[in-house]
Amino acid sequence: MTALVHVEDLRVVARNAEGADVEIVKGVGFSIKKGEVLALIGESGSGKTTIALSLMGYARSGCRISGGTVRIGEQDVLGLDNAGLAALRGRTVAYIAQSAASAFNPSKTLMDQVIESALIHRTMTREAAEAKAVGLFRALALPDPERIGARYPHQVSGGQLQRVMAAMAFITDPALVILDEPTTALDVTTQIEVLNAFRNVVRQLGTTAVYVSHDLAVVAQMADRIVVLRGGEVRENSSTPRLLSAPTSPYTASLLAAAEPAPRQLDPLAHGSAPLLQVRGLVAGYGPPDSSGLPSKRILSDIDLTIERGATVGVIGESGSGKTTLARVIAGMVPAARGSILLDGEPLVGGAARTREQFRRVQFVFQNADTALNPAHTIERILARPLAFYHGMDRAAQAKRVRELLDLVKLPAAVAARRPGELSGGQKQRINLARALAAKPDLILCDEITSALDTVVAAAILDLMAELRRELKVSTLFISHDINTVRAICDDIVVLYAGAKVEARPRSALATPPFHPYSHLLISSVPELRQGWLEEVAERAPAGLPPIGPVASTPGLCTFLHRCSVRIDGVCTQTVPPRRQLPGGGQILCHHSGQALRTMQAPLQRFEELA
């Protein structure tokens, strides 16, 4: 079959801080057949997004395409003038970005934005474009396809917005669609829905596509062929089955090994001492108080949590489950409406009433290092501020401690003179962590700190967390939506759903059932590194899972009720579920007995093998 896309000797340069050009894409070449899905995979800085954007004749600020050939059909993309490129983009080549939230105009309806490129390129009338958009909404499994276009971006979920952006790309029947990390920020359950919708539409339309990702397990479900990149060079170009079963490059083998984080060796905890942190009966939310005096919008309901000294407790759940709110209440950023938080047995108050010493002892590491670090300040200044604030260090002492902190997080001393924009994503997250460590805390709250990182960098951060635990004996609350990640470094795992703690168990008991039905859904939704997995899970998963939301009828009913495939009508729909103790340790909030759940839930072989 004749190639639709042909790339030969592509080269891209970037201007460095000294004003010199540095080559970041180095003679890359590949072809894509019509109807084929090609994946570009590699760690951050490998050049995958830069190469994908080159297919549109585009280079990001500070970069330029310095050589090579890019042909799509009969068009020489790199030879086009500005008018030619404007005619190409959105018509011949369409782009689906990683962050749907930042790709939409909040002041326009979804329909107006989806059909915009069809109107600009004059491929059809407005009436025809709107009818086609509704058809795409339906094909992409969006709810209420006839009316969802009248909504605004903030009125739909992240997974739905990602699919609306796909409709925007497909509206002009482009010859090539570029999908740039379109599911990286999504929960595992939402990711399944979005991947399944993308794959079905690509197959139905016979679309040629480039899928950019750092996740080999996701790529295995989407791609016919995979190009592995490192340092702007091609390390391997192979069919998906061959690459997964017999990689020829050692680097590809390392990516395969990093795809499923192995549990880190954890030091045994010292028993006999009182817990570092205890959370009891915690209720939190926002909005005016209801008749009971509690917030009308509850985010957390009756949460109990214990963190031992030197322990790492993982908190897992989808977006909207209350994970970040829990961490923010513990950190004093959000007030508790009811319940208590004890640090070393003493009440840990919230807001302005918390002392400087209490703030020092509990530090927060934010999910997005890009927004957490001031881009105008040097790394030395960023790390020096908590040293002066909490410890009163003078400049000489600050400079010495900054070097020690950089060494602690495995960064060279020269990084101190740089600004955040000059660092990679993994380096910025290490600085984020070093800033928290500068206070010498007893407890660190880590909020999704590896979710935006590629597998290799994320694995390095997990190794660093395990090493810091051994060296500093600091306790950690580790928040994630990836059960593999929390299982890699946590002693105990807590599962939240719609603000309720539905399960808690030690890591040693995570390998086999019984699981709460929601935990079982999360575990079975983690992509496996083999082709065909998506088809299998899509067949057994409930079609179109409803969004997270509490049941409205009787207070205290199971929050997972409307999504549960094993609910008992007449019991689950009327009675508050009991909290059942598990034989292997831990507890679940469910009407089913442990034995009944164990019978319903076949052992998950991959988790047993990792145990």
Side-chain angles (χ1 to χ4, degrees):
M1 186 182 294
T2 305
L4 174 71
V5 178
H6 182 73
V7 177
E8 184 177 351
D9 197 29
L10 177 66
R11 297 178 182 275
V12 180
V13 297
R15 186 66 55 89
N16 66 14
E18 288 73 37
D21 283 344
V22 177
E23 198 166 58
I24 57 174
V25 173
K26 307 166 184 177
V28 165
F30 55 84
S31 297
I32 312 174
K33 298 175 183 177
K34 183 175 175 57
E36 186 178 41
V37 178
L38 177 82
L40 299 178
I41 194 161
E43 59 192 283
S44 298
S46 62
K48 52 188 186 295
T49 295
T50 301
I51 293 166
L53 293 174
S54 297
L55 302 180
M56 305 172 67
Y58 178 80
R60 288 179 286 195
S61 177
C63 302
R64 62 181 176 86
I65 301 171
S66 59
T69 301
V70 175
R71 299 193 69 87
I72 300 178
E74 299 300 319
Q75 285 190 300
D76 177 7
V77 174
L78 303 186
L80 295 174
D81 58 16
N82 288 338
L85 289 173
L88 174 91
R89 296 168 185 166
R91 177 65 182 93
T92 304
V93 185
Y95 181 77
I96 301 175
Q98 177 176 349
S99 175
S102 61
F104 281 85
N105 185 331
S107 67
K108 291 184 177 181
T109 66
L110 297 176
M111 180 62 78
D112 283 344
Q113 297 182 72
V114 166
I115 67 173
E116 185 176 29
S117 60
L119 301 183
I120 289 173
H121 292 286
R122 300 179 180 179
T123 59
M124 62 191 84
T125 65
R126 183 180 186 90
E127 183 179 10
E130 289 185 354
K132 184 170 184 178
V134 170
L136 286 168
F137 294 158
R138 188 174 292 108
L140 288 162
L142 283 161
D144 198 7
E146 287 77 17
R147 285 177 286 275
I148 194 172
R151 299 182 190 176
Y152 288 85
H154 70 278
Q155 294 176 315
V156 299
S157 69
Q160 290 170 356
L161 199 59
Q162 205 74 37
R163 282 177 276 172
V164 172
M165 188 162 55
M168 186 190 304
F170 287 113
I171 194 76
T172 57
D173 294 325
L176 177 68
V177 174
I178 299 168
L179 301 94
D180 190 0
E181 301 267 17
T183 65
T184 295
L186 301 179
D187 308 313
V188 287
T189 52
T190 307
Q191 179 175 254
I192 288 173
E193 295 181 21
V194 173
L195 283 176
N196 199 41
F198 283 176
R199 186 197 56 191
N200 290 342
V201 169
V202 166
R203 288 180 177 178
Q204 289 173 19
L205 302 179
T207 304
T208 307
V210 171
Y211 197 102
V212 177
S213 181
H214 62 252
D215 192 333
L216 266 171
V218 167
V219 162
Q221 315 312 315
M222 298 292 295
D224 302 299
R225 177 171 289 275
I226 300 174
V227 171
V228 179
L229 298 159
R230 189 182 192 190
E233 298 179 299
V234 174
R235 295 302 175 95
E236 190 162 348
N237 183 344
S238 182
S239 69
T240 301
R242 181 178 300 173
L243 184 138
L244 295 179
S245 62
T248 59
S249 164
Y251 177 64
T252 305
S254 72
L255 289 180
L256 289 167
E260 294 183 332
R264 273 58 178 177
Q265 184 66 40
L266 304 179
D267 292 338
L269 300 174
H271 294 286
S273 59
L276 174 68
L277 186 85
Q278 297 177 76
V279 177
R280 295 290 177 263
L282 182 65
V283 177
Y286 59 88
D290 59 18
S291 58
S292 64
L294 297 176
S296 54
K297 178 62 176 176
R298 305 254 185 105
I299 305 298
L300 297 171
S301 299
D302 197 27
I303 300 296
D304 291 342
L305 180 75
T306 299
I307 303 180
E308 304 290 344
R309 297 177 187 280
T312 300
V313 174
V315 178
I316 190 168
E318 296 167 290
S319 297
S321 62
K323 307 185 301 293
T324 296
T325 299
L326 173 61
R328 288 177 178 270
V329 173
I330 295 172
M333 301 176 189
V334 174
R338 180 181 290 173
S340 62
I341 304 174
L342 303 178
L343 185 68
D344 273 340
E346 298 294 326
L348 193 61
V349 295
R354 187 170 295 194
T355 67
R356 180 177 298 195
E357 177 64 6
Q358 288 176 323
F359 276 120
R360 181 195 68 78
R361 296 185 66 191
V362 181
Q363 291 289 305
F364 202 107
V365 182
F366 294 92
Q367 176 177 359
N368 191 340
D370 285 319
T371 57
L373 303 177
N374 191 325
H377 292 173
T378 64
I379 301 305
E380 182 168 25
R381 185 175 177 185
I382 289 170
L383 297 182
R385 187 178 182 192
L387 298 176
F389 183 78
Y390 289 119
H391 304 296
M393 290 186 180
D394 59 25
R395 289 186 178 274
Q398 290 173 21
K400 179 182 178 183
R401 182 57 181 159
V402 165
R403 290 193 297 272
E404 292 173 350
L405 287 168
L406 291 174
D407 184 62
L408 196 62
V409 296
K410 312 300 182 188
L411 288 174
V415 167
R418 300 182 188 175
R419 287 178 168 78
E422 301 173 57
L423 305 181
S424 69
Q427 289 173 326
K428 282 183 280 194
Q429 202 58 283
R430 287 171 186 260
I431 296 300
N432 211 7
L433 185 57
R435 181 172 59 182
L437 293 173
K440 292 188 176 179
D442 297 304
L443 174 65
I444 298 178
L445 311 171
C446 295
D447 187 9
E448 299 270 16
I449 64 171
T450 62
S451 63
L453 303 177
D454 61 68
T455 50
V456 173
V457 176
I461 294 292
L462 295 182
D463 287 336
L464 174 62
M465 294 291 296
E467 186 172 335
L468 291 174
R469 167 183 166 147
R470 289 192 296 269
E471 291 184 7
L472 305 179
K473 310 300 181 186
V474 66
S475 299
T476 306
L477 183 74
F478 195 93
I479 292 170
S480 179
H481 63 250
D482 183 349
I483 202 160
N484 270 337
T485 299
V486 297
R487 190 184 176 283
I489 64 167
C490 297
D491 300 282
D492 296 288
I493 296 168
V494 171
V495 182
L496 292 185
Y497 182 82
K501 187 175 81 170
V502 298
E503 182 166 351
R505 62 170 70 205
R507 177 170 74 161
S508 59
L510 186 66
T512 56
F515 302 107
H516 186 278
Y518 176 59
S519 302
H520 186 261
L521 174 64
L522 289 179
I523 293 171
S524 60
S525 297
V526 177
E528 294 184 16
L529 197 56
R530 59 182 177 84
Q531 288 189 296
W533 172 85
L534 184 60
E535 287 89 341
E536 294 173 14
V537 75
E539 287 177 2
R540 66 174 184 259
L545 285 172
I548 286 180
V551 290
S553 53
T554 305
L557 289 186
C558 177
T559 54
F560 192 57
L561 177 65
H562 295 312
R563 299 174 92 191
C564 185
S565 60
V566 296
R567 74 182 187 190
I568 310 168
D569 289 331
V571 178
C572 298
T573 53
Q574 296 179 9
T575 310
V576 175
R579 196 167 291 279
R580 298 182 179 277
Q581 299 299 316
L582 300 176
Q587 53 185 225
I588 54 176
L589 188 67
C590 190
H591 284 288
H592 288 286
S593 69
Q595 184 57 45
L597 287 172
R598 186 179 288 107
T599 302
M600 288 185 286
Q601 298 165 354
L604 297 175
Q605 184 178 359
R606 185 162 60 118
F607 272 73
E608 289 184 326
E609 291 171 349
L610 289 173

